């Protein structure tokens, strides 16, 4: 199901435990009472309802927004914004922590440097794209445009971690 959703630009917004419980219910045919007429159809409708309630479309692409709004968005992702040493430019930094190969956590500081025209001006799409890519706030790192701009739910770490594997399985 996750591979199918991913291939159709839909991402599950539930956590690993909810997904596990739902999978068990489906496997045990526990979504609707066995005594129901048209059991299979009702079961499929329940599955569809659950997927609809626990997923959303992946949104790609940048939106032009004012710098003031972009600053607020970046702060939600724990970014530090400071004036650069040169005129009208900004340095933006973000710290990310990831597990290393040996299971320990590894901290990395991501940085970018962009031109700034003032908080009231609109940020160019290519500038937003640069910021999101260099600070790993983009779709390959689990943050699509809906999550970035609108604060939509991010996928659970489990789903994000195995998304690449699921894509490979979907091609088989």
């Amino acid at each position: 199901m996750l591979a199918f959703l991913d291939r159709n630009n839909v991402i599950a917004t539930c956590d690993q435990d909810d997904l596990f419980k739902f999978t068990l219910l489906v496997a045990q045919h526990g979504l609707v009472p066995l005594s129901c007429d048209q059991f299979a159809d009702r079961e499929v409708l329940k599955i569809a309802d659950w997927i609809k309630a626990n997923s959303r479309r992946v949104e790609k692409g940048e939106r032009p927004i004012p710098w003031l709004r972009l600053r607020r968005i970046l702060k939600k992702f724990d970014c530090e914004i400071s004036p650069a040493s040169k005129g009208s430019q900004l340095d933006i930094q973000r710290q990310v922590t990831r597990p290393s190969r040996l299971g320990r956590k590894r901290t990395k500081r991501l940085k970018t440097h962009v031109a700034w025209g003032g908080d009231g001006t609109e940020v160019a799409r290519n500038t937003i794209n640069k910021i999101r890519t260099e600070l790993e706030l983009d779709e390959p790192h689990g943050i699509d445009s809906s999550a970035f701009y609108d604060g939509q739910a991010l996928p659970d770490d489990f789903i994000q971690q195995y998304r690449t594997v699921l894509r490979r399985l979907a091609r088989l």
Side-chain angles (χ1 to χ4, degrees):
M1 175 192 76
L2 292 175
F4 175 80
L5 292 176
D6 192 60
R7 285 190 89 187
N8 289 284
N9 288 321
V10 176
I11 192 158
T13 56
C14 62
D15 63 21
Q16 183 178 355
D17 289 336
D18 290 340
L19 181 62
F20 180 77
K21 290 173 187 173
F22 174 71
T23 304
L24 283 179
L25 272 174
V26 171
Q28 297 168 348
H29 298 284
L31 294 173
V32 294
L34 290 171
S35 59
C36 284
D37 60 323
Q38 300 176 334
F39 175 77
D41 291 340
R42 289 178 188 245
E43 194 171 41
V44 168
L45 287 173
K46 282 284 192 184
I47 292 169
D49 288 342
W50 187 90
I51 292 171
K52 190 174 182 179
N54 291 281
S55 65
R56 66 172 174 77
R57 283 208 147 296
V58 173
E59 186 183 323
K60 298 178 183 181
E62 308 305 345
R63 304 177 195 164
I65 58 171
W67 269 105
L68 190 59
R69 181 160 178 238
L70 181 59
R71 280 179 181 268
R72 281 189 229 123
I73 291 169
L74 292 172
K75 294 235 187 249
K76 288 179 186 175
F77 289 100
D78 299 322
C79 294
E80 299 169 16
I81 303 167
S82 58
S85 54
K86 298 178 187 175
S88 59
Q89 297 185 346
L90 293 176
D91 288 327
I92 307 170
Q93 299 182 36
R94 177 174 181 248
Q95 192 166 308
V96 294
T97 304
R98 290 202 191 91
S100 67
R101 291 181 187 180
L102 301 174
R104 297 183 197 143
K105 294 196 177 196
R106 182 176 57 115
T107 301
K108 183 178 176 184
R109 193 162 222 27
L110 306 172
K111 300 176 185 180
T112 190
H113 183 81
V114 294
W116 174 67
D119 282 344
T121 61
E122 200 168 86
V123 186
R125 288 181 180 173
N126 61 342
T127 302
I128 296 173
N129 188 24
K130 178 182 190 259
I131 292 168
R132 289 186 63 195
T133 302
E134 292 181 6
L135 298 181
E136 297 181 0
L137 296 169
D138 53 359
E139 206 267 330
H141 295 94
I143 303 171
D144 70 338
S145 293
S146 254
F148 184 77
Y149 292 104
D150 304 326
Q152 292 286 329
L154 293 170
D156 185 71
D157 288 338
F158 167 81
I159 292 168
Q160 187 58 37
Q161 180 181 356
Y162 293 103
R163 204 163 166 208
T164 307
V165 174
L166 294 170
R167 283 182 179 151
R168 286 179 52 209
L169 287 170
R171 286 188 216 127
L172 298 177

